[in-house]
Structures are given as structure tokens and as C-alpha cells.
Amino acid sequence: MRRPVLLLVLPLLVVAGCAPTRADLFDGPSDPQRAEAFDQRAARVAEAWQPGPEWRTGYVPLEGPTILTGDPRFTPDTEAAFRAGWYRAQVPLYPTRVGGEIRFPDGRLTLPLVSAAEAYRQIDQGDPLPCPGRPKRPGLPTPGGPTVEPGPDGWTTSTAAPTACRSLTVTGVTLGSVPVRTSRGEAQVPAWLFTVEELAAPVARLAVAPTAVGRVPEPTAPAEPLPDGLVSAQDLAAVDGARLIVRLGVGTCDTAITPLVWERPDVVVVGGSVTRSTDVCPAILKMEPVTVILAAPLGARPVLDVSTGAALSIASR
């Protein structure tokens, strides 16, 4: 379960004298006292991490259920449609349910899957307001499937340019598998692969039935507040062996942004160090990606936030 994050867009008006340049953001090593405070807190976070048996025996995904399988070659319009969940189907989407197998590095697990029609309903979050010349219904019937009438959230309004009112056209669907980071490491997970006319890569929706998906344990944070000068990790942008891209939650005027990591064979704790500005600055949270290099490949180890103790998930991709 991903914890909610307050992500606000930076205002155009920045208080004079407090906006750092890009070169200033990463201008030196972390203060030794902050690094020591980070290590002490990270050790307490790691000791408090006590997941149940499902973490090692079940299916607990650590990334979102909708995944792009390659470079979609987005245009502004198609990216807007993908982010909003605007789709229309031109193929039959049958309600037949099946079972599937997840392949973990340490074994296999057979679980129930949702149908193609259910998976489509999960990605289809409604339609934009109608455009001139836009078809009102798909060209083919969809037994048990959706139409392009208003979705579960009704008509979706948009403040984008008029050309952004088009939905993505689903022209095919197959059952396949995609790599997914889970509590047991990277696994091959069954997914419905939707071919989209406007995109260069299929859109995958993980097919495991919700009743078979395990929950990420609730975090146990240290009682003390995060020491001044330390910042939390919001999520993971990417995992590649021993290389992690972590997004830190920093202030708009913070400088000397430095990633910090504490690891042991069963767990990794991440966060960051910053230098606070003495000037008046907007109280706005900014997501800053930083690279962390581990001493060994991450494998199945959880990555925990030093502030809350929460297990970090990979941001939607």
C-alpha cells in the first residue's frame, strides 16, 4: 500500500534570493553529524521492520498495476490520455476468468486472474468530453466489456488543448507476463497486454485478482521526529541491480541535496540530507531524484524510508 504523498506544482513566482541553481543542489557531501543521525535512525527503522509470512510466501507487488511495456513514443495528447485513463475498445473483451502462474526467483505461485473485460474496466477511467468527429461507440461489439459512454467516474474534463480530447484506441488484447518488483524480488507476473493504436508499446494491466494480492505491511516509524537536515524518500523511480533512483521530498530552496543509504543483508534504508535556506521560501514539497549505489544488488530486500519506515514502491511507469 503506497502511502499518500503531497506533490504540488512549483509556482511561477519564486521568492527572490532563495531559488538555488541546479549546480547548487548537489554541492557537497553530507554533514558528518547528519550522516550519523541518519545511520542511527535507519538502524531503528530496520529493527522495527517485521513483515508477516505473506511477505515471503505470497504475492505482494511493489509497483503499480498499469505498466508500459516499452517506449510508447508519447505525444502530448497520447500522454494526457494515458495518464487520465481515456480508452475506447475496438475488439471484443470477454469476461472469462482464468488462472495464472507467477514466477519468482525463489519459486512459483498459481493464483486466480481477472478477465480481459475486468482488466479493461480497471484501466478505463472515463472519457474526455466529446470532440467533433469522434466516434460514439467502438466498431466491434464487446461482450461483457465496456463502451465509450461515460466511465465509472463520468465524463473527464480537461484543461488541455482541444486536441487532447481523444481517447486511446485498443485494437488487440493478449494474456502475457511482465517483470514486476515484488516482496520476493523481480517476478514475471501475468498481465493483460492491450495493443493501443496510438502507442508504440502495449499497455499492460497486471491480471492477478485483487483477492490474491497481498498488502504491504503498515510501517512502524521511530517515535522521534526526523532530525533537522534529513529528508524522507517518497518512492523509487527505478531499480537496476545495485543502482537505485530514489525520489526525495525536499523544499524548493534546499541545497546540498545528498542521498543517504544504510543497508544490511535483509533490508535497505534510504533518505537524504539537505541544507536549509535561511531566506523565506514557499512551503512546497518537491520531488528530487537522486541515485543510490548499494554495496550489493538489491535482490529481494525491501527499501524503507528513513522517516516513516514504509516500504517504498516503484512509481507508475
Side-chain angles (χ1 to χ4, degrees):
M1 179 177 66
R2 182 177 299 171
R3 56 195 164 83
V5 174
L6 177 62
L7 176 57
L8 300 178
V9 178
L10 293 178
L12 295 178
L13 178 63
V14 179
V15 177
C18 73
T21 66
R22 190 66 188 171
D24 292 334
L25 292 178
F26 304 93
D27 60 2
S30 176
D31 181 275
Q33 291 184 336
R34 290 180 194 161
E36 182 179 358
F38 172 85
D39 288 344
Q40 292 174 355
R41 186 178 180 91
R44 293 198 298 274
V45 166
E47 288 302 319
W49 175 252
Q50 299 293 333
E54 185 180 44
W55 187 260
R56 293 299 179 200
T57 61
Y59 168 59
V60 183
L62 296 177
E63 57 183 291
T66 303
I67 297 172
L68 286 166
T69 59
D71 182 1
R73 300 179 189 171
F74 278 138
T75 66
D77 291 349
T78 58
E79 183 170 12
F82 174 78
R83 302 299 177 197
W86 296 336
Y87 293 91
R88 64 189 184 101
Q90 289 193 330
V91 291
L93 298 171
Y94 296 103
T96 305
R97 297 188 182 188
V98 295
E101 184 179 73
I102 300 177
R103 300 191 300 278
F104 298 98
D106 61 354
R108 302 188 176 200
L109 187 63
T110 299
L111 294 174
L113 307 182
V114 299
S115 67
E118 289 173 287
Y120 181 88
R121 282 193 290 269
Q122 291 168 358
I123 67 170
D124 182 22
Q125 296 301 303
D127 291 299
L129 293 174
C131 301
R134 178 172 178 258
K136 291 185 177 180
R137 290 184 178 273
L140 295 176
T142 56
T147 69
V148 295
E149 299 305 316
D153 301 321
W155 293 111
T156 304
T157 60
S158 172
T159 58
T163 54
C165 61
R166 298 185 182 278
S167 297
L168 299 176
T169 308
V170 174
T171 58
V173 59
T174 59
L175 182 62
S177 65
V178 292
V180 175
R181 176 159 172 75
T182 75
S183 62
R184 297 164 62 178
E186 186 174 272
Q188 288 292 326
V189 179
W192 288 105
L193 307 178
F194 294 98
T195 302
V196 176
E197 182 178 294
E198 296 83 0
L199 302 181
V203 174
R205 180 72 184 193
L206 301 184
V208 179
T211 54
V213 177
R215 293 182 177 274
V216 177
E218 290 292 335
T220 302
E224 305 82 7
L226 194 65
D228 185 49
L230 297 182
V231 294
S232 63
Q234 303 296 306
D235 57 27
L236 297 173
V239 175
D240 183 11
R243 180 176 177 269
L244 312 180
I245 299 180
V246 180
R247 298 202 298 177
L248 302 178
V250 305
T252 58
C253 301
D254 289 346
T255 59
I257 301 171
T258 306
L260 297 172
V261 60
W262 185 95
E263 60 180 309
R264 67 185 191 190
D266 63 327
V267 69
V268 171
V269 182
V270 294
S273 170
V274 301
T275 297
R276 303 293 190 188
S277 172
T278 58
D279 295 321
V280 178
C281 288
I284 297 174
L285 181 69
K286 182 177 69 170
M287 305 285 266
E288 187 67 46
V290 296
T291 299
V292 171
I293 305 297
L294 305 177
L298 180 61
R301 292 182 291 174
V303 181
L304 308 180
D305 168 37
V306 72
S307 176
T308 64
L312 300 182
S313 298
I314 295 180
S316 299
R317 57 186 172 96

